[in-house]
Amino acid sequence: MFDKVLIANRGEIALRVLRACKELGIATVAVHSTADSEAMHVKLADESVCIGPPPARESYLNIPSLLAACEITGADAVHPGYGFLSENARFAEILAEHGIGFIGPKAEHIRIMGDKIEAKRTAKRLGIPVVPGSEGGVSSYEEAMRVGREIGFPLLVKAAAGGGGRGMKVARDEASLSEALSSARAEAKAAFGDDAVYLERYLEKPRHIEIQIFGDGKGNAIHLGERDCSLQRRHQKVFEESPSPALNFEMRAQIGEVCANAMRELQYSGAGTIEFLYENGEFFFIEMNTRIQVEHPVTEMITGLDLVSEQIRIASGASLSIKQEDVQFNGHAIECRVNAEDPLTFAPSPGTIKYYFAPGGLGVRVDSAVYGGYRIPPHYDSLIGKLIVHGKTRNECMMRLKRALDEFVVDGVKTTLPLFRTLVRNADIQNGDYDIHWLERYLAEKT
Ligand code: ADP
């Protein structure tokens, strides 16, 4: 087992990793930018190192600074959290070259899955069903049109280097293909420095359902069921639940086994999520994330497993601590992402939190790193916390969520809490009757 872990992240996920380390008896090192010296993860860690000025590329993405921090503190492993360097294969390799453990999968798997074209090719080879689309990238309008005519419109033009919902444009018909192609390219170039794009059939009413998997790099792999993340705005998740209201026990076991088998064949190591769109009883792979995800607590609540501690154990060379037949799914869990944003326009609302009160009680978990008097810096993601509730049934879970949301107080900045308070009272949400476009439609009607 590692002696000391450096957490190369900030906010709630830095705290989440820190908690897992403490429970495993591992010493912790926090890193922070000058904008984060008052952050909770810095206060709670055993040691902390300032790694640069506020812009992420000069601090949280600054590999030489992170290496120096490992050197100074004698950390023997790094947990990257999500975002920042978590899916940077080169970072994993550099750490290995310095004899420092990377708490994540093998660099080659990060690399394959980071290129969405390569990822789709690999998924197909491993027997995972994929969305019909171009075989690889498309480089010209003529080629795109040929593929478009073959798979039919509407089409989605997607960036090979995509992430965060960027570089994605719909072409409703042949006439709009040229415009979709050039704007997806331009957006991809600006966001990722790579304008490679590919085409997929645009699914009209799918749900986003993802499977949590775990492997130990020795050919053992399990799945921990699904999360339904269909409530999205601009392709970004805002609310996640498990089990999915759209699946039954057999469907979960079936797609879960397909994913676990694929991971056994790949000899995948660590936590991963295989994301699908689900429509009319069919699953279509869209991408795989080779890291812990924001919504992982939903799975923890229904399985009773600590996913972050399992990541750390596996990275230190241990085998999976649990077999598939021992995984049990209990009750229902829902997560709401609380962002410091206007609940209608979603404009970021950084500033000082004047008063903070988090809900509690049976089945309620809040993963957050803010406190009364904390100043939210404007430089980073607007996620300030996650409210996760668990209940025996979906109905109990919804009632509990409603009362927990009503207890939650964050004064001084705008948050998305009021949006969730109206969503839990909506009949479609209560019935689990929503797809990936539901929230956008709902918001369009309200404004
Ligand atoms: P990113 O890496 O940018 O998050 P994904 O490929 O994971 O991109 O897709 C993000 C979201 O975009 C999905 O959850 C879904 O809402 C939408 N999306 C992606 N592919 C398709 C498709 N073929 N048809 C319809 N919607 C899609």
Side-chain angles (χ1 to χ4, degrees), residues 267-303:
Q267 303 228 334
Y268 187 81
S269 173
T273 300
I274 305 186
E275 298 194 335
F276 294 94
L277 294 178
Y278 174 80
E279 194 174 66
N280 301 326
E282 271 188 278
F283 283 95
F284 302 100
F285 170 91
I286 44 172
E287 69 164 341
M288 175 170 180
N289 293 316
T290 52
R291 54 171 165 83
I292 195 77
Q293 286 194 272
V294 177
E295 60 274 23
H296 77 275
V298 165
T299 302
E300 294 186 324
M301 299 297 265
I302 64 159
T303 59

Side-chain angles (χ1 to χ4, degrees), residues 116 156 158 163-165 200-201 203 208 232 235 275 287:
K116 296 182 143 197
L156 190 61
K158 296 175 81 169
E200 258 177 15
R201 183 199 294 160
L203 300 173
H208 173 116
Q232 302 182 349
H235 306 303
E275 298 194 335
E287 69 164 341

Side-chain angles (χ1 to χ4, degrees), residues 12 82 231-233 236-240 294 335-351 353 356 367-368 370 376 380-387 405 408 410 412-420 439:
E12 68 84 22
Y82 52 67
L231 270 192
Q232 302 182 349
R233 179 180 167 269
Q236 293 272 44
K237 301 159 190 168
V238 303
F239 168 109
E240 303 95 357
V294 177
E335 173 182 278
C336 296
R337 297 191 188 193
V338 184
N339 289 348
E341 287 172 356
D342 183 287
L344 276 182
T345 65
F346 297 90
S349 175
I353 296 178
Y356 177 80
D367 277 21
S368 170
V370 304
I376 303 166
Y380 313 105
D381 190 281
S382 56
L383 182 77
I384 57 164
K386 307 181 304 203
L387 167 62
L405 283 165
F408 213 147
V410 184
V413 296
K414 289 181 187 170
T415 73
T416 46
L417 282 167
L419 169 68
F420 291 119
L439 184 59

Side-chain angles (χ1 to χ4, degrees), residues 157-446:
V157 186
K158 296 175 81 169
R166 282 167 304 173
M168 229 184 275
K169 296 286 168 206
V170 185
R172 288 254 144 231
D173 45 37
E174 292 191 6
S176 56
L177 182 61
S178 162
E179 166 61 23
L181 207 56
S182 50
S183 63
R185 274 233 157 87
E187 205 174 298
K189 182 83 189 162
F192 316 110
D194 174 1
D195 69 354
V197 295
Y198 63 107
L199 303 180
E200 258 177 15
R201 183 199 294 160
Y202 180 70
L203 300 173
E204 297 279 4
K205 283 180 157 225
R207 297 183 80 111
H208 173 116
I209 298 182
E210 57 188 33
I211 306 292
Q212 175 72 53
I213 58 88
F214 251 101
D216 61 11
K218 301 166 188 162
N220 303 309
I222 55 168
H223 75 87
L224 300 178
E226 82 282 18
R227 294 182 289 259
D228 192 321
C229 313
S230 303
L231 270 192
Q232 302 182 349
R233 179 180 167 269
R234 297 201 176 152
H235 306 303
Q236 293 272 44
K237 301 159 190 168
V238 303
F239 168 109
E240 303 95 357
E241 65 178 310
S242 186
S244 165
L247 296 193
N248 61 33
F249 185 80
E250 290 77 33
M251 293 153 105
R252 169 182 316 121
Q254 200 175 8
I255 190 69
E257 237 349 89
V258 167
C259 293
N261 270 331
M263 293 304 109
R264 277 174 211 130
E265 194 168 330
L266 207 56
Q267 303 228 334
Y268 187 81
S269 173
T273 300
I274 305 186
E275 298 194 335
F276 294 94
L277 294 178
Y278 174 80
E279 194 174 66
N280 301 326
E282 271 188 278
F283 283 95
F284 302 100
F285 170 91
I286 44 172
E287 69 164 341
M288 175 170 180
N289 293 316
T290 52
R291 54 171 165 83
I292 195 77
Q293 286 194 272
V294 177
E295 60 274 23
H296 77 275
V298 165
T299 302
E300 294 186 324
M301 299 297 265
I302 64 159
T303 59
L305 299 171
D306 181 333
L307 269 55
V308 177
S309 119
E310 190 69 3
Q311 278 190 299
I312 299 170
R313 289 184 59 267
I314 288 171
S316 77
S319 299
L320 273 174
S321 67
I322 186 163
K323 293 198 188 68
Q324 189 67 56
E325 57 267 33
D326 300 327
V327 177
Q328 284 186 5
F329 301 102
N330 290 313
H332 198 96
I334 301 180
E335 173 182 278
C336 296
R337 297 191 188 193
V338 184
N339 289 348
E341 287 172 356
D342 183 287
L344 276 182
T345 65
F346 297 90
S349 175
T352 301
I353 296 178
K354 292 206 181 75
Y355 181 79
Y356 177 80
F357 179 82
L362 184 67
V364 176
R365 164 175 172 183
V366 177
D367 277 21
S368 170
V370 304
Y371 52 88
Y374 174 72
R375 194 176 54 80
I376 303 166
H379 315 281
Y380 313 105
D381 190 281
S382 56
L383 182 77
I384 57 164
K386 307 181 304 203
L387 167 62
I388 309 107
V389 295
H390 182 255
K392 286 195 288 297
T393 59
R394 188 170 188 275
N395 188 42
E396 186 180 283
C397 194
M398 289 297 285
M399 294 302 284
R400 185 161 285 154
L401 178 59
K402 209 181 282 178
R403 76 97 178 138
L405 283 165
D406 288 345
E407 283 175 27
F408 213 147
V409 184
V410 184
D411 268 353
V413 296
K414 289 181 187 170
T415 73
T416 46
L417 282 167
L419 169 68
F420 291 119
R421 292 191 187 112
T422 57
L423 286 179
V424 288
R425 288 167 172 83
N426 180 282
D428 288 347
I429 302 301
Q430 283 174 357
N431 296 329
D433 186 12
Y434 56 86
D435 60 37
I436 61 167
H437 306 299
W438 188 96
L439 184 59
E440 297 271 10
R441 275 198 306 269
Y442 173 85
L443 291 167
E445 279 162 23
K446 284 197 84 167

